[in-house]
Amino acid sequence: MSRLDSFIARLQAQRTILNHVRYDMALPAEGAVLEIGLGNGRTYDHIREIFTHRRIIAFDRAVGSHPRSTPDQRDLVLGEISETLTSMAGMGAAFAHADIGTAYPEVDSETKRWLPPALADALASGGVVASGLPLTHADLAPLPVPEGIDPERYYLYRRR
């Protein structure tokens, strides 16, 4: 598969997963949505459109998003995500989306070490996480992805 086709498949899977979480899955009644990796803001913009009733907090190293897709300062956490995400421990988030894989095995291996416990600590019981990387943690129960999505492209988990 070409890198272009892979990118298109990833974005299609991402949109399908986000819409599935919003419209087809039960989430805790309360709690924010966490966007782990703001990037250019396209995914944040979609999350903002479908989760209109929730606070959305985005994380990234620095602002690189389009101005129309940049959260207000109170909902933007800048710095090393491995450090800043830990500040959300106990917040009871309803949903977290993390698409911060790099396709560099050594980098992704390190991310898979710190990301699962940080997300488990930030999510409410019953909260959901969608991730572009597999997450291994005792408090994150794997869920099936919607039909048509490669189960090795995107992953879903529910916080026990």
Side-chain angles (χ1 to χ4, degrees), residues 64-125:
S65 53
H66 186 279
R68 286 188 8 219
S69 300
T70 302
D72 293 334
Q73 190 168 355
R74 74 178 187 91
D75 292 326
L76 181 60
V77 181
L78 297 177
E80 282 299 319
I81 299 171
S82 61
E83 298 168 10
T84 60
L85 186 56
T86 61
S87 70
M88 297 293 129
M91 80 165 306
F95 173 58
H97 173 255
D99 186 18
I100 56 174
T102 66
Y104 291 97
E106 63 281 358
V107 175
D108 290 347
S109 177
E110 177 62 16
T111 301
K112 290 187 283 188
R113 184 190 62 72
W114 62 260
L115 185 59
L119 288 172
D121 288 348
L123 286 170
S125 178

Side-chain angles (χ1 to χ4, degrees), residues 105-159:
E106 63 281 358
V107 175
D108 290 347
S109 177
E110 177 62 16
T111 301
K112 290 187 283 188
R113 184 190 62 72
W114 62 260
L115 185 59
L119 288 172
D121 288 348
L123 286 170
S125 178
V128 172
V129 60
S131 175
L133 293 172
L135 306 175
T136 303
H137 191 279
D139 292 331
L140 297 175
L143 299 171
V145 296
E147 190 172 323
I149 293 179
D150 178 349
E152 293 183 14
R153 165 137 342 252
Y154 242 88
Y155 305 87
L156 276 174
Y157 302 88
R158 186 172 300 276
R159 173 72 162 87

